[in-house]
Amino acid sequence: QGLDTPLRSLSGKVTLRQMMGNCLLSGITGGGKTTAAEPILLELAQIGGMVCFCGKPGDAARYARLFARAGRAVRVVGADARE
């Protein structure tokens, strides 16, 4: 798989190379941004390693489970003290 391989989770319209350049998900509170990102993150985790910055409580644990599903080792740094 090269950098120009289309991502299945984005209907083949975006490549890994494009995702490495920039990626922004925006929307209203409760609009489904986190849920919409999961299949994309799962596919990216299956392709290779990544760094994921979590902005809200519970996200670090959620993404750790997602990356474990992809068969990737997980290292959490600076997790929210409430987790």
Side-chain angles (χ1 to χ4, degrees), residues 9-78:
S9 57
L10 293 169
S11 303
K13 297 178 182 175
V14 177
T15 66
L16 180 57
R17 183 183 306 276
Q18 290 170 312
M19 289 294 288
M20 291 175 70
N22 291 297
C23 178
L24 171 69
L25 292 172
S26 65
I28 63 170
T29 301
K33 298 175 294 293
T34 301
T35 302
E38 282 191 5
I40 300 165
L41 291 173
L42 179 60
E43 184 173 3
L44 291 172
Q46 290 168 336
I47 292 171
M50 72 171 66
V51 175
C52 184
F53 295 94
C54 303
K56 62 183 184 182
D59 275 358
R62 180 183 191 139
Y63 294 138
R65 288 190 302 273
L66 183 75
F67 299 147
R69 252 180 46 211
R72 293 292 176 183
V74 176
R75 181 174 175 215
V76 178
V77 178

